[in-house]
Amino acid sequence: MEKILVLGHKNPDTDSICSAIAYANLKSAIGLNAEPVRLGEINGETKYALDYFQVNVPRLVEKVAAETSQVILVDHNERQQSADDIDQVRILEVIDHHRIANFQTSDPLFYRAEPVGCTTTILNKLYKEHGVEIKKEIAGLMLSAIISDSLLFKSPTCTEQDIAAARELAEIAGVDPEKYGLEMLKAGADLSDKTVEQLISLDAKGFDMGNYKVMVAQVNAVDTDDVLNNKKEIEAAITKTIADQNLDLFFFVVTDILTNDSVGLALGKMTNAVETAFNVKLDNNTAVLKGVVSRKKQIVPVLTDTLKAL
């Protein structure tokens, strides 16, 4: 039986890694040869979750076609966010909670997309639908993903389905979601050992917005000033990325996990779109985004609409 690789997006976050592990585990339980892999280095938050529940880090890959002809995508569907050679393999399934864009296949596939806060909320349903019991460590990782994507249930992306799933998974995992979740988020917010290049790529996603190429990167912090105190170096790294990838806009968002506000740093020829989208004035390339914590719901949609109108 040929191996099926289960993968999340490039520059993986906790949902991307934990969803790949959880769904590969489900597929294996129903008799398929599935392996979770990752398309980038894990962040501190994800490492905390994997270490806490004693689960190995998935194997790193950049290309998949040399290993298999079949893959499953979790937590993404846009091709520029996937494996470099994704067009050379058959996508069997997609399990996702983001917008659908730049995606088409030559064969029919199973596609499960729901407007919930986290991919593992969907996976929780799939485990039930297949009658497969969720193991303690897998439940812990699925809970970690929900906490991460919902910013401990405070994000506007968080739904009642996410909260209900988190409660179920926390009980299986044997943890207090609030206490465990805060420690996990704090672990992810410790960026003291990261280079500026790592900072801007830790959780960066590329998007086609109208006729423009945009990169939106986001990191969480306990204090945004701790991240932006080396702003000149960050801007130099972003400027290089813009030139290397021919971007029209790079938007670096630093989210305060305690206040639930963000600071946005915008560079590129289309920075005016940020000002229009968020009704702010950039001061030295930055602006405070009050109440903005979600890239998926509060950043990408308004930026996309704004750039399409320009």
Side-chain angles (χ1 to χ4, degrees):
M1 182 184 299
E2 183 181 13
K3 179 166 59 179
I4 301 168
L5 297 182
V6 184
L7 53 134
H9 54 74
K10 292 179 178 177
N11 305 315
D13 57 11
T14 301
D15 187 20
S16 190
I17 295 292
C18 293
S19 289
I21 294 171
Y23 201 42
N25 180 78
L26 174 58
K27 287 297 179 183
S28 297
I30 61 177
L32 297 179
N33 181 14
E35 179 194 0
V37 295
R38 57 187 169 94
L39 299 183
E41 298 303 320
I42 62 170
N43 59 37
E45 178 188 278
T46 308
K47 184 179 185 303
Y48 181 91
L50 292 171
D51 288 347
Y52 190 96
F53 293 104
Q54 299 182 326
V55 177
N56 292 331
V57 180
R59 183 167 57 89
L60 174 66
V61 302
E62 293 182 359
K63 297 183 179 181
V64 293
E67 297 189 41
T68 185
S69 64
Q70 304 177 109
V71 299
I72 294 173
L73 308 186
V74 294
D75 197 34
H76 75 296
N77 66 81
E78 299 188 51
R79 287 180 177 268
Q80 70 270 24
Q81 297 176 9
S82 201
D84 291 339
D85 59 348
I86 195 66
D87 58 330
Q88 298 177 33
V89 295
R90 180 183 177 188
I91 300 172
L92 296 178
E93 301 182 32
V94 176
I95 314 295
D96 194 17
H97 67 129
H98 295 93
R99 71 175 192 174
I100 300 171
N102 308 317
F103 181 84
Q104 64 180 24
T105 63
S106 56
D107 298 293
L109 76 164
F110 178 83
Y111 199 113
R112 182 81 168 256
E114 297 186 21
V116 292
C118 182
T119 308
T120 62
T121 299
I122 305 170
L123 296 185
N124 189 48
K125 299 177 186 179
L126 287 169
Y127 267 88
K128 293 176 181 177
E129 290 168 12
H130 284 89
V132 176
E133 182 178 349
I134 302 176
K135 294 183 289 188
K136 179 178 180 178
E137 66 273 18
I138 298 298
L141 295 185
M142 293 169 70
L143 169 66
S144 301
I146 296 173
I147 290 170
S148 175
D149 269 14
S150 70
L151 206 60
L152 200 52
F153 317 123
K154 295 176 183 176
S155 171
T157 63
C158 186
T159 68
E160 289 300 320
Q161 294 182 59
D162 297 294
I163 295 171
R167 287 173 180 158
E168 293 176 9
L169 294 164
E171 185 173 350
I172 298 170
V175 297
D176 179 328
E178 296 286 342
K179 182 179 179 181
Y180 166 77
L182 185 58
E183 291 304 313
M184 187 192 77
L185 291 177
K186 285 182 178 178
D190 181 6
L191 304 170
S192 57
D193 63 339
K194 304 300 180 186
T195 67
V196 291
E197 289 79 13
Q198 289 173 323
L199 274 178
I200 66 170
S201 63
L202 272 174
D203 189 5
K205 290 184 178 181
F207 301 93
D208 292 329
M209 299 183 180
N211 296 318
Y212 303 100
K213 287 186 65 178
V214 178
M215 185 75 74
V216 181
Q218 185 175 25
V219 296
N220 292 336
V222 175
D223 186 341
T224 57
D225 289 339
D226 289 344
V227 178
L228 296 172
N229 61 5
N230 55 347
K231 184 167 169 288
K232 288 185 178 180
E233 290 85 354
I234 291 173
E235 288 180 334
I238 289 175
T239 298
K240 183 178 185 303
T241 301
I242 289 172
D244 290 346
Q245 300 189 28
N246 194 28
L247 301 173
D248 299 294
L249 174 65
F250 193 115
F251 195 34
F252 180 54
V253 180
V254 185
T255 299
D256 189 317
I257 64 172
L258 301 180
T259 66
N260 294 323
D261 296 327
S262 295
V263 175
L265 169 61
L267 290 174
K269 65 182 181 182
M270 298 306 297
T271 55
N272 61 308
V274 171
E275 295 184 319
T276 301
F278 299 100
N279 193 27
V280 295
K281 183 68 176 177
L282 291 170
D283 181 11
N284 198 19
N285 302 323
T286 65
V288 175
L289 308 175
K290 298 293 292 185
V292 173
V293 297
S294 171
R295 173 172 51 196
K296 180 182 72 172
K297 192 166 185 176
Q298 295 175 296
I299 297 174
V300 172
V302 290
L303 264 183
T304 301
D305 291 344
T306 300
L307 285 167
K308 282 183 176 179
L310 292 177

